[in-house]
Amino acid sequence: MNYNDWLDLINQVEKSNRNTIYLQKMEDANNNININEMLQPKLIDLITNKLAKAIRRIVNNINETFRNPNTLELTIINFDKDIQYILKICNLKQIDNDVKSKLITTVNDEANKVYDILIEKSLEADRTGMYKTIIEKKKNSKR
């Protein structure tokens, strides 16, 4: 795959919502060291944007999330899927190992912050702790 093909693919991933076909194309692409240096900043931007979008989706719908336990679980499941998708992008062979490690750490830290915010908000919405239990169970199961 040449650089322009990569740019098109990155653009498609940016606009899509966890499209596994596009991700598979990225994972299957040959490691062309000639373009990796130019490609890496684009992939970092993609990861950053996808992460921001996933977090924004949680924050914007936080009041709706705590209306019932099923909505909360669905929200968390979708967030987990977003994070797993982003982590797969982080693990592409086109990204330098040092950068890859930092990206993975950042994504996991941000996900944990979101879970902490959800736990805090859950205590405001539900004094019984049921929502908190659901969130902690999902947070711990992703490890």
Side-chain angles (χ1 to χ4, degrees), residues 53-110:
K53 186 177 179 182
I55 293 170
R56 223 178 8 257
R57 204 171 310 143
I58 291 276
V59 171
N60 289 344
N61 296 323
I62 201 153
N63 290 329
E64 183 68 30
T65 299
F66 292 108
R67 296 219 176 181
N68 75 54
N70 294 330
T71 305
L72 175 62
E73 280 205 64
L74 181 62
T75 299
I76 293 171
I77 288 169
N78 284 325
F79 181 68
D80 282 343
K81 287 180 180 180
D82 287 339
I83 295 301
Q84 293 308 312
Y85 188 85
I86 293 165
L87 288 172
K88 286 181 180 180
I89 297 170
C90 290
N91 280 308
L92 291 173
K93 57 190 165 224
Q94 287 73 20
I95 300 175
D96 180 65
N97 286 334
D98 291 337
V99 174
K100 187 182 298 191
S101 176
K102 290 176 186 174
L103 287 171
I104 290 169
T105 300
T106 299
V107 170
N108 285 325
D109 289 349
E110 292 300 314

